[in-house]
Amino acid sequence: MTIQAPEGTCDLLPDEARRWDNFRRRAFEIFGNFGYQPIHTPIFEQTELFVRGIGNATDVVSKEMFTTISGGNLEKLLAGEEIKDKSRLSLRPEGTAGVVRAVIQHDLVPNGAAPAKLMYAGPMFRAERPQKGRLRQFRQIGIECLGADSPSIDAEAITMLMTFLHSIAIPPERMTLLLNSMGCEKCRPTYREKVRAYILENAENLCEECCSRAQSNPLRAFDCKNPKCARVMDFAPRITDYLCDDCREHHETVKDLLDEIEIPYTESPKLVRGLDYYTRTVFEVQVSTGLGAQNAIGGGGRYDRLVEEVGGRPTSGLGFAIGYERCILALEAACVPLAKQRGIDVFFACVNEEVRKRAFIMAYKLRNAGISAELDHQNRSLKSQFKMADKLQARWVVIVGPEELAQEKVRVRDMQTHTETVIDLPAIDNFISSVGITLGEAL
Ligand code: HAM
């Protein structure tokens, strides 16, 4: 049997690969306008970073991490020997922990400095059960802003998220922006106890996992996909009734700023998000059709304790990530046409083998001048070469024939009007640029 890509992964074939490049480029352009700078962190980090950062009691860390051991260490482990903690590595399940680690390691937010605004894009890995919209390797674009605690940065990030989602043409009526506050270390413990008590009181109507979570992480019960649990949790205590004055004021200001710029949102006291680092603002964009249970296309929030938890000075933080594959599914469900491949500028069709060398040289010159050019390398008939030019959506076909070449001329066919012109060879590049081919802009 031929070897297939691993379950839960997918190849991005040329059209899809181009789409991902465009998606990333568009995001970076928009986020760049808000002052964000690119950062690339490793695809794997010490496992300890995710355990401390994301939380041991989350599904992402307790069940879904791809943990890797390098060859020599694997032998040691198999032989029952201990290995150093720093040799336990995991593929990143998300981007925040790695960016925060890099910010601490390189001191990107020295005392009194302006916030570090960072953006990233790349693959993330979660060993989840694959299904539509749920992959084991998926792509995210994201931002992290470290060192700003004002609610205006929360509102700004949400604006940026929505601006990007609108820019890729996900219909606004299909998106819902959910907003909540998770409180802080002062007010959340009381709330957590209330939810724990509520779960224990309603244990007979909740699934086993929700009940066992009552001890370790009661708020996770809000995330349970079991409809019976969801109904019970609808009546659970609401965080918004337990926020301390500072958290309430922060939350109200975020909402006020969003109202001012008319970004619609739905308050969702059940939104707890699946990662443990959040404090105060959390948000998520869900789409109404096409994605079933995996309907969150992006989300994020504030994490004012995370930097300390992974060993840095107290520094507030906030960010979000958008899932590429789920956005594409949302666009497909909304029948939004995806960008077409841009055709090539010029195809050189050789009448016989002898003229190929000249075509090769002309193509070389045009490509150097920023004009995309292609020619046949398989000695195909003229008819097949025209078919190839059609397939490549060539704007022009330069027909290189021995008779014309003898007079230092070629025939140029305009593939839109199907008219032909005979032109002098030295004028070929002038001709092509003068008839309106834009240089450079290949997508
Ligand atoms: P997250 O909600 O776990 O947040 O993931 C963000 C987005 O990644 C989701 O909304 C979804 O579109 C996509 N996604 C997650 N898991 C999968 C999967 N298995 N298959 C396909 N797509 C998936 C985070 O990752 C946080 N780091 C966001 C953040 C940044 N919070 C603060 N800063």
Side-chain angles (χ1 to χ4, degrees):
M1 214 172 70
T2 52
I3 298 175
Q4 309 278 308
E7 210 190 345
T9 69
C10 61
D11 299 309
L12 294 190
L13 299 180
D15 276 347
E16 292 147 341
R18 194 173 305 108
R19 214 168 281 150
W20 162 238
D21 285 347
N22 292 344
F23 188 86
R24 209 168 33 175
R25 192 174 313 139
R26 177 87 56 88
F28 277 23
E29 261 167 36
I30 292 175
F31 302 165
N33 290 342
F34 286 76
Y36 283 78
Q37 310 266 6
I39 185 166
H40 297 290
T41 60
I43 274 173
F44 58 86
E45 298 272 356
Q46 290 183 35
T47 302
E48 180 67 11
L49 173 69
F50 301 121
V51 173
R52 273 162 59 184
I54 301 173
N56 222 352
T58 59
D59 282 356
V60 169
V61 169
S62 63
K63 300 185 195 162
E64 297 167 3
M65 286 228 286
F66 281 103
T67 292
T68 74
I69 305 281
S70 66
N73 284 319
L74 184 60
E75 277 170 24
K76 278 192 189 167
L77 270 186
L78 291 174
E81 291 172 39
E82 277 297 299
I83 63 164
K84 295 190 181 108
D85 277 349
K86 70 174 187 187
S87 304
R88 291 178 196 272
L89 305 168
S90 294
L91 298 184
R92 60 183 185 192
E94 54 103 58
T96 312
V99 170
V100 165
R101 194 261 317 131
V103 165
I104 299 170
Q105 184 174 335
H106 305 285
D107 198 16
L108 297 186
V109 195
N111 270 334
K117 286 179 145 184
L118 302 164
M119 57 187 176
Y120 53 90
M124 308 292 160
F125 306 85
R126 294 184 194 176
E128 297 190 75
R129 197 163 43 79
Q131 56 172 246
K132 189 175 180 188
R134 194 162 72 188
L135 294 158
R136 294 183 149 199
Q137 177 178 341
F138 56 98
R139 288 159 190 83
Q140 280 186 347
I141 51 169
I143 61 107
E144 310 298 340
C145 176
L146 277 300
D149 54 12
S150 161
S152 56
I153 203 81
D154 309 27
E156 184 183 274
I158 294 173
T159 322
M160 201 163 82
L161 167 68
M162 298 315 288
T163 303
F164 173 74
L165 294 174
H166 290 142
S167 90
I168 60 167
I170 300 186
E173 66 281 6
R174 290 185 179 229
M175 291 192 280
T176 308
L177 167 65
L178 303 177
L179 185 69
N180 192 21
S181 171
M182 299 282 295
C184 64
E185 72 271 26
K186 276 192 279 171
C187 51
R188 195 163 12 163
T190 315
Y191 175 64
R192 198 186 285 120
E193 284 316 308
K194 293 277 172 201
V195 176
R196 176 173 294 140
Y198 179 82
I199 292 176
L200 295 176
E201 274 162 32
N202 291 279
E204 72 276 19
N205 294 317
L206 291 166
C207 71
E208 219 172 282
E209 192 156 13
C210 282
C211 295
S212 69
R213 276 167 172 167
Q215 291 317 321
S216 58
N217 202 345
L219 301 193
R220 283 278 80 76
F222 285 110
D223 273 344
C224 184
K225 297 278 184 228
N226 180 330
K228 205 170 152 205
C229 298
R231 273 197 302 278
V232 173
M233 294 311 288
D234 276 342
F235 297 97
R238 300 182 157 223
I239 177 83
T240 31
D241 295 331
Y242 292 87
L243 293 179
C244 62
D245 289 346
D246 289 346
C247 288
R248 184 178 311 284
E249 193 185 325
H250 188 101
H251 192 49
E252 291 303 319
T253 311
V254 174
K255 289 194 292 177
D256 181 45
L257 290 170
L258 294 177
D259 292 339
E260 283 294 329
I261 48 174
E262 296 179 7
I263 300 240
Y265 57 86
T266 303
E267 285 205 65
S268 176
K270 281 175 68 184
L271 180 72
V272 291
R273 310 257 310 126
L275 312 159
D276 271 359
Y277 47 61
Y278 292 114
T279 48
R280 296 192 167 168
T281 311
V282 283
F283 49 92
E284 191 163 281
V285 178
Q286 298 187 348
V287 287
S288 49
T289 40
L291 278 154
Q294 314 306 320
N295 63 348
I297 53 175
R302 178 164 279 286
Y303 46 81
D304 291 340
R305 307 268 314 146
L306 177 59
V307 179
E308 272 170 276
E309 264 149 30
V310 294
R313 286 190 287 279
T315 309
S316 44
L318 174 118
F320 66 73
I322 301 172
Y324 166 72
E325 289 81 0
R326 289 193 193 170
C327 284
I328 297 298
L329 287 172
L331 289 171
E332 283 169 359
C335 301
V336 176
L338 296 167
K340 292 256 177 334
Q341 182 194 343
R342 178 179 172 270
I344 61 158
D345 297 326
V346 181
F347 187 89
F348 285 92
C350 300
V351 171
N352 62 28
E353 245 331 83
E354 281 72 64
V355 299
R356 183 186 298 278
K357 187 167 159 191
R358 293 294 293 273
F360 180 84
I361 296 166
M362 283 187 273
Y364 171 79
K365 285 187 180 161
L366 286 193
R367 288 162 177 162
N368 272 355
I371 294 172
S372 60
E374 187 56 288
L375 69 155
D376 160 53
H377 294 282
Q378 291 162 298
N379 201 8
R380 292 174 194 232
S381 68
L382 201 56
K383 195 171 160 199
S384 318
Q385 292 181 63
F386 266 97
K387 272 195 192 154
M388 195 174 158
D390 266 340
K391 201 165 166 213
L392 295 170
Q393 300 166 49
R395 176 69 183 82
W396 308 91
V397 174
V398 175
I399 305 154
V400 191
E403 283 152 35
E404 289 89 348
L405 264 192
Q407 301 167 46
E408 287 296 296
K409 289 182 192 299
V410 283
R411 267 185 295 142
V412 178
R413 182 180 295 184
D414 181 328
M415 297 296 277
Q416 274 171 9
T417 60
H418 299 285
T419 51
E420 276 187 20
T421 328
V422 175
I423 61 160
D424 289 338
L425 251 187
I428 178 90
D429 31 8
N430 291 344
F431 173 77
I432 286 167
S433 31
S434 70
V435 286
I437 288 176
T438 42
L439 299 185
E441 196 201 73
L443 274 188

